Amino acid sequence: MAGEFWQAVIAGRREVKLERVPVPEPADDEVLIKVAYCAVCTWEQRVYSGVFQTYPLAGGHEVSGVVQKAGAGVGHVRPGDKVIVSGLHRCGMCDNCRRGLSNLCVHAYSAPAPEGRVPGPGGFGEYIVRKGEDVFRLAGHVPLAEAALGEPVACVVRSVKKAGVGPGDRVLVIGGGMMGLLHVQLLRGRAAAVVLSEPDPDRRAIALEMGADGVVDPSEPHFAHRVKQLVAGAGPTVVFVAVSVLEAVHQALSVAAPGGRVMMFASQPRGSAITVDPNLFHHKEVTLTGTVSQVPEDFHDAAALISSGKLDLAPFLTSFYPLTDIKAALDEAVENQGKGAHFRVVVQAGSGE
Ligand SMILES: [Zn+2]
Ligand SMILES: [Zn+2]
């Protein structure tokens, strides 16, 4: 398919421009996708605001779209199929990839861009091309705007699987942003209790609407006591930290029940450190671990879950901008990060549906 299309490139701090680039021809094992929507994630916000200075970057990894053309060797999707795509580079050959940890591929962020192209996932554009294995088909009835959240859903799928939450577990999720609320949605009805800790009253109310069994304000003086009341027993057996606040890590470790697991879902500010009494791990047998990104199996599960219609994703789509207003989209995302009921800014690349 010849022709050119518009792609947004983050060129510097608070600087983004639209470039004309040639529409790529998919190889035999690739799929050409017409992008429908792309949500603005924290990573792109950090590059745009200058926290990470990896310029230029063709940003946009929370993508939904429609298959335009599939290579001869691709059998699982056809033109017209609605899809989500994994934008992470997985070399398949490094030690981490070969141990099933392609989310930790050593080349994830150092893969060279195709010749003449700006590096990055490229979802802020009208077309993307991906390996067939990175493309996941959705049911035809799924709204493509909601499907743009496929990547964050896949990350939460991994987090929940890795924590091994069972029916008797009592779960505390710390942080009521979209990621914390997605944890609530994936766990509701699957554990003995799911409680969310969040200082913002609007977000606490949303958590209850989305199926949390209880909510708690982390700033209240008897926080640990209140959490234990809400989950019953000796405290939460699984705690997810879904907020980039160091104090949340301390709260998670101190409130976890003996034998409990603490899952670091969110990253913490670079260079930050915590002091922990190692006897916590000895005397209480608490496990502290973490999760980052996702592996293809998690994307496959996310596509199934989104297709089932069981997730409430629409409340996370706060505002929409056409691709031509990408600067306004990034500005709004950066300026409203973490505010009340403001969740994802979504860029609409095509005419939508
Ligand atoms: Zn993301
Ligand atoms: Zn690798």
Side-chain angles (χ1 to χ4, degrees):
M1 197 178 123
E4 290 187 325
F5 70 96
W6 289 109
Q7 184 181 60
V9 174
I10 303 175
R13 196 180 159 275
R14 293 264 175 170
E15 209 184 303
V16 61
K17 56 188 180 187
L18 285 167
E19 292 181 350
R20 290 295 279 172
V21 291
V23 176
E25 182 65 25
D28 278 359
D29 61 345
E30 289 180 334
V31 180
L32 177 69
I33 295 148
K34 190 173 195 311
V35 175
Y37 296 91
C38 186
V40 180
C41 184
T42 319
W43 177 54
E44 285 92 3
Q45 289 177 40
R46 287 178 181 157
V47 175
Y48 179 66
S49 63
V51 179
F52 303 154
Q53 303 196 347
T54 47
Y55 308 118
L57 176 79
H61 66 277
E62 298 186 353
V63 181
S64 66
V66 174
V67 173
Q68 188 81 16
K69 190 174 181 183
V74 175
H76 69 303
V77 290
R78 292 187 308 196
D81 282 348
K82 291 180 179 179
V83 292
I84 51 176
V85 297
S86 163
L88 207 63
H89 179 73
R90 312 172 197 273
C91 78
M93 292 174 273
C94 72
D95 184 59
N96 295 350
C97 280
R98 292 198 159 180
R99 289 184 296 131
L101 298 169
S102 65
N103 57 319
L104 303 177
C105 175
V106 296
H107 303 295
Y109 297 100
S110 58
E115 205 175 309
R117 300 292 297 273
V118 174
F124 299 143
E126 294 171 294
Y127 289 93
I128 50 171
V129 71
R130 282 283 183 283
K131 296 276 186 204
E133 65 211 46
D134 292 330
V135 179
F136 301 85
R137 192 159 60 92
L138 300 165
H141 60 78
V142 174
L144 280 169
E146 296 179 24
L149 302 179
E151 190 266 350
V153 170
C155 293
V156 178
V157 164
R158 175 173 178 80
S159 175
V160 166
K161 280 200 270 188
K162 201 175 171 204
V165 178
D169 273 314
R170 306 181 296 260
V171 178
L172 174 68
V173 178
I174 301 182
M178 184 179 82
M179 291 311 206
L181 292 167
L182 281 173
H183 276 82
V184 169
Q185 288 198 29
L186 264 71
L187 290 165
R188 61 187 171 193
R190 281 189 48 190
V194 181
V195 170
L196 183 115
S197 168
E198 162 63 43
D200 185 289
D202 291 340
R203 291 186 166 190
R204 288 202 299 272
I206 293 168
L208 290 172
E209 281 167 25
M210 289 183 172
D213 298 305
V215 289
V216 58
D217 182 345
S219 63
E220 74 171 69
H222 305 292
F223 171 77
H225 178 70
R226 183 79 191 114
V227 169
K228 280 178 187 163
Q229 273 184 332
L230 286 167
V231 302
T237 54
V238 182
V239 184
F240 294 93
V241 178
V243 64
S244 298
V245 174
L246 220 44
E247 179 54 26
V249 187
H250 285 288
Q251 283 191 328
L253 287 168
S254 64
V255 81
R261 288 99 73 199
V262 175
M263 179 63 70
M264 296 294 305
F265 178 85
S267 65
Q268 298 299 329
R270 281 185 184 182
S272 55
I274 55 165
T275 304
V276 184
D277 179 353
N279 285 313
L280 180 80
F281 305 106
H282 175 70
H283 290 305
K284 277 181 74 182
E285 293 196 346
V286 166
T287 301
L288 173 60
T289 185
T291 176
V292 66
S293 306
Q294 13 58 35
V295 294
E297 290 81 356
D298 304 319
F299 249 101
H300 186 71
D301 290 357
L305 198 50
I306 291 170
S307 295
S308 78
K310 287 181 180 166
L311 297 178
D312 306 323
L313 298 175
F316 298 126
L317 308 173
T318 302
S319 50
F320 291 87
Y321 288 87
L323 184 60
T324 45
D325 286 343
I326 180 77
K327 182 162 174 49
L330 292 170
D331 284 336
E332 181 182 323
V334 167
E335 278 147 31
N336 292 279
Q337 167 82 341
K339 283 188 190 163
H342 193 286
F343 298 105
R344 278 293 194 265
V345 172
V346 183
V347 175
Q348 187 175 344
S351 51
E353 55 161 14

